[in-house]
Amino acid sequence: MEQHKMSSIKEYLETYFGHFEQGLKDEIVKNGRLRTFAEGIQVIGSGELMKYTMLVIKGRLKLYTDGENGEEFFMYYLEPGQACALSFVCAARNRKSDLEAFAVEETEVIMIPIGLMAELMVKYKSWYIFVIETYRSRYKELLDAIRSVAFHAMDERLEYYLIKQKNTFGSTTLSLKHEQIANDLNSSRVVISRLLKQLELKGKVKLLRNAIELKF
């Protein structure tokens, strides 16, 4: 069983993290472990002390932050070949998580003990670059989210959200409920339903049962 696990991690690293140095891959194979999360399962909880960083190798994670009144605000997705930047920060500062992550679909990750992070940063340039690039990409996601809230009306934010969903899932037909969109955009279901109906009247979307077909 252990040999099979190591073989699987090696294959995943070659597929999604082939740019890692061989020594780095060997250390991840030795110290990492595979874990699978079923759809809808919470992977990271707000206030949780992070013990592992995760390399996503299958499926998709959705990250949120909580508002003061308990509302949720969608941040970004993590997909195969990506890692959780939050865990890097928590490792460096020994801090608890400020975000929550859920499995959008069945998701598999390689879990690497937080205690290895500092050592890997020093020993392997490819890991150092990977961590910095992960910070950069997530910072850009954060800036996009801030700009969306600060400078765009809700109808513009909705269109941006739908385009982002299309690009993420690679499909013009999105299995999204109005309530889910409202939660992601920190709005109400009534407002989102009204705006979607307006988009449909403009010919930009077609509203289906628990799905939305994009025309743009």
Side-chain angles (χ1 to χ4, degrees), residues 5-198:
K5 181 217 75 168
M6 294 175 65
S7 176
S8 296
I9 292 180
K10 284 182 180 178
E11 291 177 8
Y12 284 131
L13 289 174
E14 290 299 330
T15 301
Y16 297 108
F17 302 93
H19 57 288
F20 284 175
E21 296 146 279
Q22 189 58 51
L24 173 57
K25 294 177 188 175
D26 292 341
E27 292 215 34
I28 294 175
V29 169
K30 178 182 177 182
N31 296 285
R33 66 184 183 94
L34 295 175
R35 183 168 179 183
T36 301
F37 297 93
E39 179 182 344
I41 292 296
Q42 185 182 60
V43 180
I44 301 173
S46 180
E48 180 181 317
L49 188 62
M50 304 287 289
K51 296 181 180 179
Y52 297 89
T53 189
M54 294 178 292
L55 304 181
V56 181
I57 51 179
K58 178 185 175 183
R60 183 176 287 108
L61 299 179
K62 191 173 188 178
L63 277 80
Y64 293 89
T65 186
D66 292 329
E68 293 182 358
N69 299 316
E71 68 274 20
E72 296 177 335
F73 186 82
F74 169 62
M75 298 296 292
Y76 53 81
Y77 290 105
L78 288 179
E79 301 179 301
Q82 298 179 336
C84 179
L86 171 66
S87 63
F88 298 156
V89 176
C90 291
R93 304 291 298 276
N94 193 30
R95 295 182 61 180
K96 295 181 179 180
S97 168
D98 294 322
L99 301 180
E100 296 184 2
F102 293 85
V104 178
E105 55 197 78
E106 183 177 87
T107 301
E108 191 167 12
V109 302
I110 301 174
M111 304 184 75
I112 304 172
I114 284 293
L116 280 178
M117 291 289 294
E119 180 181 344
L120 297 182
M121 287 286 284
V122 173
K123 289 176 64 175
Y124 301 106
K125 184 177 180 181
S126 58
W127 181 258
Y128 174 83
I129 293 174
F130 177 70
V131 170
I132 296 302
E133 179 59 24
T134 298
Y135 282 145
R136 186 203 65 78
S137 61
R138 295 310 156 208
Y139 179 67
K140 182 179 182 302
E141 293 271 5
L142 178 59
L143 285 181
D144 288 344
I146 292 173
R147 290 191 186 106
S148 175
V149 172
F151 303 118
H152 297 283
M154 183 56 70
D155 57 342
E156 296 175 304
R157 289 176 58 196
L158 176 59
E159 287 197 44
Y160 174 79
Y161 172 88
L162 294 174
I163 292 172
K164 192 173 182 179
Q165 295 289 315
K166 179 182 73 172
N167 294 338
T168 296
F169 291 97
S171 173
T172 55
T173 301
L174 306 173
S175 298
L176 292 170
K177 296 181 179 180
H178 296 191
E179 185 175 2
Q180 178 185 340
I181 299 173
N183 288 338
D184 286 351
L185 294 179
N186 195 20
S187 183
S188 70
R189 185 189 59 78
V190 173
V191 170
I192 295 302
S193 295
R194 174 173 56 80
L195 293 176
L196 285 171
K197 190 62 180 179
Q198 291 177 3

